[in-house]
mmCIF file of all heavy atoms in Angstrom:
data_model
loop_
_atom_site.group_PDB
_atom_site.id
_atom_site.type_symbol
_atom_site.label_atom_id
_atom_site.label_comp_id
_atom_site.label_asym_id
_atom_site.label_seq_id
_atom_site.Cartn_x
_atom_site.Cartn_y
_atom_site.Cartn_z
ATOM 1 N N GLN U 37 -10.651 14.894 -3.820
ATOM 2 C CA GLN U 37 -11.371 15.355 -2.627
ATOM 3 C C GLN U 37 -10.337 15.694 -1.567
ATOM 4 O O GLN U 37 -9.390 14.923 -1.348
ATOM 5 C CB GLN U 37 -12.262 14.212 -2.136
ATOM 6 C CG GLN U 37 -13.044 14.466 -0.864
ATOM 7 C CD GLN U 37 -13.662 13.172 -0.343
ATOM 8 O OE1 GLN U 37 -12.968 12.263 0.096
ATOM 9 N NE2 GLN U 37 -14.992 13.082 -0.408
ATOM 10 N N HIS U 38 -10.521 16.826 -0.904
ATOM 11 C CA HIS U 38 -9.585 17.202 0.138
ATOM 12 C C HIS U 38 -10.333 17.616 1.391
ATOM 13 O O HIS U 38 -11.154 18.538 1.360
ATOM 14 C CB HIS U 38 -8.669 18.332 -0.327
ATOM 15 C CG HIS U 38 -7.540 18.594 0.605
ATOM 16 N ND1 HIS U 38 -6.886 19.801 0.682
ATOM 17 C CD2 HIS U 38 -6.920 17.780 1.501
ATOM 18 C CE1 HIS U 38 -5.942 19.721 1.593
ATOM 19 N NE2 HIS U 38 -5.930 18.499 2.094
ATOM 20 N N LYS U 39 -10.055 16.904 2.471
ATOM 21 C CA LYS U 39 -10.598 17.246 3.780
ATOM 22 C C LYS U 39 -9.478 17.868 4.600
ATOM 23 O O LYS U 39 -8.305 17.461 4.473
ATOM 24 C CB LYS U 39 -11.155 16.007 4.467
ATOM 25 C CG LYS U 39 -12.329 15.384 3.704
ATOM 26 C CD LYS U 39 -12.892 14.174 4.417
ATOM 27 C CE LYS U 39 -14.072 13.602 3.623
ATOM 28 N NZ LYS U 39 -14.671 12.419 4.282
ATOM 29 N N PRO U 40 -9.793 18.859 5.460
ATOM 30 C CA PRO U 40 -8.751 19.572 6.225
ATOM 31 C C PRO U 40 -7.858 18.620 7.015
ATOM 32 O O PRO U 40 -8.349 17.700 7.696
ATOM 33 C CB PRO U 40 -9.567 20.468 7.161
ATOM 34 C CG PRO U 40 -10.861 20.682 6.457
ATOM 35 C CD PRO U 40 -11.144 19.408 5.722
ATOM 36 N N GLY U 41 -6.563 18.821 6.880
ATOM 37 C CA GLY U 41 -5.597 18.019 7.627
ATOM 38 C C GLY U 41 -5.356 16.628 7.084
ATOM 39 O O GLY U 41 -4.553 15.871 7.648
ATOM 40 N N LYS U 42 -6.025 16.304 5.989
ATOM 41 C CA LYS U 42 -5.861 14.960 5.407
ATOM 42 C C LYS U 42 -5.140 15.038 4.062
ATOM 43 O O LYS U 42 -5.013 16.115 3.463
ATOM 44 C CB LYS U 42 -7.250 14.316 5.194
ATOM 45 C CG LYS U 42 -8.049 14.128 6.466
ATOM 46 C CD LYS U 42 -7.475 13.014 7.289
ATOM 47 C CE LYS U 42 -8.306 12.687 8.503
ATOM 48 N NZ LYS U 42 -9.606 12.079 8.139
ATOM 49 N N ALA U 43 -4.689 13.899 3.584
ATOM 50 C CA ALA U 43 -4.115 13.840 2.242
ATOM 51 C C ALA U 43 -5.222 13.964 1.212
ATOM 52 O O ALA U 43 -6.274 13.322 1.343
ATOM 53 C CB ALA U 43 -3.371 12.529 2.056
ATOM 54 N N PRO U 44 -5.021 14.791 0.190
ATOM 55 C CA PRO U 44 -5.980 14.792 -0.920
ATOM 56 C C PRO U 44 -6.157 13.380 -1.471
ATOM 57 O O PRO U 44 -5.197 12.606 -1.543
ATOM 58 C CB PRO U 44 -5.336 15.729 -1.940
ATOM 59 C CG PRO U 44 -4.470 16.644 -1.120
ATOM 60 C CD PRO U 44 -3.940 15.767 -0.021
ATOM 61 N N LYS U 45 -7.376 13.075 -1.867
ATOM 62 C CA LYS U 45 -7.697 11.731 -2.340
ATOM 63 C C LYS U 45 -8.223 11.796 -3.771
ATOM 64 O O LYS U 45 -9.223 12.486 -4.029
ATOM 65 C CB LYS U 45 -8.760 11.112 -1.419
ATOM 66 C CG LYS U 45 -9.262 9.746 -1.837
ATOM 67 C CD LYS U 45 -10.386 9.299 -0.905
ATOM 68 C CE LYS U 45 -10.989 7.989 -1.347
ATOM 69 N NZ LYS U 45 -12.135 7.590 -0.497
ATOM 70 N N VAL U 46 -7.562 11.089 -4.673
ATOM 71 C CA VAL U 46 -8.018 11.081 -6.063
ATOM 72 C C VAL U 46 -9.290 10.240 -6.167
ATOM 73 O O VAL U 46 -9.326 9.096 -5.706
ATOM 74 C CB VAL U 46 -6.923 10.544 -7.004
ATOM 75 C CG1 VAL U 46 -7.451 10.438 -8.437
ATOM 76 C CG2 VAL U 46 -5.695 11.441 -6.964
ATOM 77 N N LEU U 47 -10.314 10.822 -6.772
ATOM 78 C CA LEU U 47 -11.590 10.127 -6.963
ATOM 79 C C LEU U 47 -11.723 9.574 -8.382
ATOM 80 O O LEU U 47 -12.178 8.451 -8.598
ATOM 81 C CB LEU U 47 -12.752 11.086 -6.714
ATOM 82 C CG LEU U 47 -12.819 11.789 -5.369
ATOM 83 C CD1 LEU U 47 -13.932 12.834 -5.385
ATOM 84 C CD2 LEU U 47 -13.021 10.778 -4.243
ATOM 85 N N ILE U 48 -11.349 10.403 -9.333
ATOM 86 C CA ILE U 48 -11.534 10.124 -10.758
ATOM 87 C C ILE U 48 -10.241 10.483 -11.474
ATOM 88 O O ILE U 48 -9.646 11.528 -11.199
ATOM 89 C CB ILE U 48 -12.676 10.980 -11.351
ATOM 90 C CG1 ILE U 48 -14.000 10.764 -10.616
ATOM 91 C CG2 ILE U 48 -12.814 10.753 -12.855
ATOM 92 C CD1 ILE U 48 -14.725 9.486 -10.962
ATOM 93 N N TYR U 49 -9.808 9.644 -12.408
ATOM 94 C CA TYR U 49 -8.684 10.000 -13.270
ATOM 95 C C TYR U 49 -9.065 9.725 -14.724
ATOM 96 O O TYR U 49 -10.072 9.048 -15.004
ATOM 97 C CB TYR U 49 -7.399 9.277 -12.870
ATOM 98 C CG TYR U 49 -7.435 7.765 -13.005
ATOM 99 C CD1 TYR U 49 -6.947 7.128 -14.144
ATOM 100 C CD2 TYR U 49 -7.950 6.971 -11.970
ATOM 101 C CE1 TYR U 49 -6.959 5.757 -14.256
ATOM 102 C CE2 TYR U 49 -7.969 5.587 -12.074
ATOM 103 C CZ TYR U 49 -7.474 4.997 -13.225
ATOM 104 O OH TYR U 49 -7.489 3.622 -13.330
ATOM 105 N N ASP U 50 -8.291 10.297 -15.623
ATOM 106 C CA ASP U 50 -8.606 10.216 -17.063
ATOM 107 C C ASP U 50 -10.057 10.620 -17.318
ATOM 108 O O ASP U 50 -10.758 10.012 -18.133
ATOM 109 C CB ASP U 50 -8.339 8.811 -17.611
ATOM 110 C CG ASP U 50 -6.854 8.461 -17.632
ATOM 111 O OD1 ASP U 50 -6.026 9.371 -17.461
ATOM 112 O OD2 ASP U 50 -6.528 7.277 -17.810
ATOM 113 N N ALA U 51 -10.493 11.631 -16.604
ATOM 114 C CA ALA U 51 -11.810 12.270 -16.736
ATOM 115 C C ALA U 51 -12.986 11.445 -16.226
ATOM 116 O O ALA U 51 -13.930 12.010 -15.672
ATOM 117 C CB ALA U 51 -12.077 12.697 -18.185
ATOM 118 N N SER U 52 -12.938 10.123 -16.401
ATOM 119 C CA SER U 52 -14.142 9.340 -16.081
ATOM 120 C C SER U 52 -13.861 8.001 -15.417
ATOM 121 O O SER U 52 -14.805 7.244 -15.162
ATOM 122 C CB SER U 52 -14.951 9.097 -17.359
ATOM 123 O OG SER U 52 -14.191 8.370 -18.304
ATOM 124 N N THR U 53 -12.605 7.681 -15.132
ATOM 125 C CA THR U 53 -12.261 6.388 -14.514
ATOM 126 C C THR U 53 -12.281 6.518 -13.003
ATOM 127 O O THR U 53 -11.548 7.340 -12.436
ATOM 128 C CB THR U 53 -10.891 5.904 -14.999
ATOM 129 O OG1 THR U 53 -10.888 5.805 -16.423
ATOM 130 C CG2 THR U 53 -10.569 4.543 -14.383
ATOM 131 N N LEU U 54 -13.083 5.703 -12.367
ATOM 132 C CA LEU U 54 -13.224 5.743 -10.911
ATOM 133 C C LEU U 54 -12.011 5.088 -10.271
ATOM 134 O O LEU U 54 -11.648 3.948 -10.600
ATOM 135 C CB LEU U 54 -14.500 5.009 -10.514
ATOM 136 C CG LEU U 54 -15.040 5.205 -9.099
ATOM 137 C CD1 LEU U 54 -15.518 6.638 -8.897
ATOM 138 C CD2 LEU U 54 -16.179 4.213 -8.827
ATOM 139 N N GLU U 55 -11.373 5.797 -9.364
ATOM 140 C CA GLU U 55 -10.244 5.246 -8.624
ATOM 141 C C GLU U 55 -10.726 4.065 -7.776
ATOM 142 O O GLU U 55 -11.857 4.075 -7.277
ATOM 143 C CB GLU U 55 -9.640 6.329 -7.730
ATOM 144 C CG GLU U 55 -8.354 5.972 -7.014
ATOM 145 C CD GLU U 55 -7.153 5.870 -7.928
ATOM 146 O OE1 GLU U 55 -6.607 6.914 -8.317
ATOM 147 O OE2 GLU U 55 -6.766 4.723 -8.237
ATOM 148 N N ALA U 56 -9.881 3.053 -7.637
ATOM 149 C CA ALA U 56 -10.234 1.872 -6.853
ATOM 150 C C ALA U 56 -10.644 2.258 -5.431
ATOM 151 O O ALA U 56 -9.975 3.071 -4.788
ATOM 152 C CB ALA U 56 -9.062 0.898 -6.811
ATOM 153 N N GLY U 57 -11.745 1.686 -4.974
ATOM 154 C CA GLY U 57 -12.190 1.926 -3.607
ATOM 155 C C GLY U 57 -13.081 3.150 -3.434
ATOM 156 O O GLY U 57 -13.611 3.371 -2.344
ATOM 157 N N VAL U 58 -13.245 3.935 -4.486
ATOM 158 C CA VAL U 58 -14.091 5.132 -4.400
ATOM 159 C C VAL U 58 -15.547 4.731 -4.643
ATOM 160 O O VAL U 58 -15.834 3.976 -5.577
ATOM 161 C CB VAL U 58 -13.634 6.185 -5.424
ATOM 162 C CG1 VAL U 58 -14.606 7.366 -5.490
ATOM 163 C CG2 VAL U 58 -12.233 6.676 -5.071
ATOM 164 N N PRO U 59 -16.458 5.220 -3.816
ATOM 165 C CA PRO U 59 -17.873 4.840 -3.984
ATOM 166 C C PRO U 59 -18.412 5.171 -5.373
ATOM 167 O O PRO U 59 -18.048 6.194 -5.971
ATOM 168 C CB PRO U 59 -18.583 5.668 -2.906
ATOM 169 C CG PRO U 59 -17.549 5.949 -1.882
ATOM 170 C CD PRO U 59 -16.261 6.075 -2.627
#
Side-chain angles (χ1 to χ4, degrees):
Chain U
Q37 177 191 68
H38 190 204
K39 297 181 179 180
K42 299 287 186 68
K45 176 184 176 184
V46 176
L47 303 172
I48 303 283
Y49 64 95
D50 292 347
S52 61
T53 303
L54 195 67
E55 187 71 78
V58 172

